[in-house]
Amino acid sequence: MTRMTADILQLTDLHLMADPNAVLRDVCTRQSLIDVLQLAKTHSQTESLDFDYVLITGDLTHDERFESYEVLRELLGDWLPRCRLIPGNHDDRALIRQVFPDLVPTDGELINFSVESAGWRLIGLDSHVDGEVFGRIGESQLRWMADELTKHAAQPTILFVHHPPVSVESAWLDRIGLQDADALLDIVRSFPQVHSISAGHVHQEFAVTIDRVEIVTTPSTGVQFRPREDEMVCDTMPPGFRIFHLADSDYTTQVIRLPDPTE
Ligand SMILES: [Fe+2]
């Protein structure tokens, strides 16, 4: 039997703006994304990785403008066909559909995905709620997820969702978390093939294991928030991305960041 492996790149919280020089909390989000994409390319070459999928887990734009989504499409370049997207609170589903009709479902309301890679199942959930900062998956999408998990019970699985389904021990971020996290985790508990849940939204790296499921969050490609603060404090940690290495029924994951300019 040939050993199947794959590498998955997760990018999150890009917060792109139509103005190329626009700055969010002292970070030019467009230049920062360009730098992170370059680092991911260099890393994939030096480590001989060929990303099977590039998963972008929400807050693709900050200003929710057509031009900003078009800039993202351009910046993804050769990687575009292997990208899968889910929205965050800062996103507009209609514009995502307009700019990425080849990457997202054209029917139904939600923008989610369920794909296979090296025998693994990768499921992306849409937690966007119009006009709100918090997230919700909703009953019908939870049923869809349970159906996918039932259909692919033999495949080890990782779930992706913008809003983390756990506390990240920062009061201000926990207030704008995933409202139906308990319903999600209840379903996950009954499907032992789910190994991990990876989120964005909190602009920091965080990890906790609940009932053998490793729940992680991934740094933004732009602005970073300092962990374990009760109010928003920006962090000087550099932007970055997360990689999942999938092999047989096991995986490893790591966060990689841009070099720290202060070091
Ligand atoms: Fe964000």
Side-chain angles (χ1 to χ4, degrees), residues 13 15 59 89-90 162 201 203:
D13 297 272
H15 290 265
D59 288 1
N89 44 298
H90 281 285
H162 181 70
H201 190 51
H203 296 221

Side-chain angles (χ1 to χ4, degrees), residues 71-144:
V71 166
L72 174 59
R73 195 177 166 99
E74 234 168 79
L75 291 179
L76 291 171
D78 293 349
W79 277 349
L80 190 68
R82 59 185 83 180
C83 291
R84 294 295 177 276
L85 318 173
I86 47 175
N89 44 298
H90 281 285
D91 275 309
D92 182 313
R93 290 193 190 102
L95 289 178
I96 294 178
R97 283 208 164 84
Q98 217 179 323
V99 177
F100 301 96
D102 42 346
L103 297 184
V104 301
T106 47
D107 55 329
E109 189 208 348
L110 303 179
I111 296 181
N112 47 28
F113 63 81
S114 173
V115 294
E116 192 257 327
S117 176
W120 282 69
R121 173 84 10 203
L122 310 173
I123 297 177
L125 300 164
D126 178 340
S127 57
H128 171 90
V129 180
D130 274 342
E132 301 292 353
V133 184
F134 63 76
R136 193 186 301 125
I137 296 171
E139 275 177 39
S140 66
Q141 189 174 209
L142 286 172
R143 271 197 302 277
W144 170 79

